Amino acid sequence: MESQNNKMAVTEEAFPSVRKECGKRGRKPGRKTSSEKIDIKAKLERSRQSARECRARKKLRYQYLEELVADREKAVVALRAELERYILWSRQLNENLSTTNSDQLLKEIGIIKQE
């Protein structure tokens, strides 16, 4: 028993239970200095500016994509009209129209050059 008491005494001496306070070193939580407040305001302003620029880039990107879609839709309409023309010419060739009509059709297609 006595050896256990000696061991406890040694451990208590090696690690005191009372914690020593260090004084006023470091920052206290929740308190901001004036320079930190300025830094926070600058950070918020940079964040707002970044958000404005992001929205502007997004708007430009959407405008570009809308123009691209409009151009593609025009191309699709033109290709559909050309396809209809070719289908019509194919039907006319399959029906074996008269040679005068065939010559006119070939001129329209561009195989026979017009005089």
Side-chain angles (χ1 to χ4, degrees):
M1 211 46 186
E2 206 170 295
S3 64
Q4 279 184 334
N5 289 338
N6 287 340
K7 286 182 184 177
M8 289 178 77
V10 170
T11 57
E12 288 176 6
E13 291 172 7
F15 303 106
S17 62
V18 178
R19 188 172 169 185
K20 193 174 187 180
E21 293 298 323
C22 296
K24 294 187 176 183
R25 297 174 83 185
R27 283 190 327 194
K28 291 185 179 178
R31 288 197 172 182
K32 306 273 186 209
T33 64
S34 62
S35 65
E36 289 175 340
K37 289 178 184 176
I38 293 171
D39 290 343
I40 290 173
K41 288 180 181 179
K43 183 177 178 181
L44 286 173
E45 186 55 38
R46 284 193 308 268
S47 177
R48 289 184 190 114
Q49 182 64 29
S50 176
R52 275 187 227 111
E53 291 171 0
C54 180
R55 287 190 295 270
R57 284 192 306 270
K58 184 178 179 181
K59 184 177 179 181
L60 286 173
R61 185 171 55 245
Y62 274 92
Q63 286 175 349
Y64 167 75
L65 290 173
E66 286 173 354
E67 290 173 7
L68 192 65
V69 166
D71 290 343
R72 297 289 166 93
E73 286 175 348
K74 288 177 186 175
V76 166
V77 169
L79 288 171
R80 286 188 190 274
E82 187 177 353
L83 179 63
E84 289 296 322
R85 230 180 17 240
Y86 289 142
I87 290 172
L88 178 65
W89 291 339
S90 173
R91 286 182 187 153
Q92 289 176 353
L93 287 174
N94 286 339
E95 292 173 359
N96 293 327
L97 295 177
S98 66
T99 56
T100 58
N101 287 342
S102 296
D103 290 341
Q104 181 183 358
L105 179 64
L106 293 175
K107 284 179 184 177
E108 287 178 13
I109 295 173
I111 294 175
I112 298 177
K113 292 186 179 179
Q114 296 178 354
E115 297 173 2

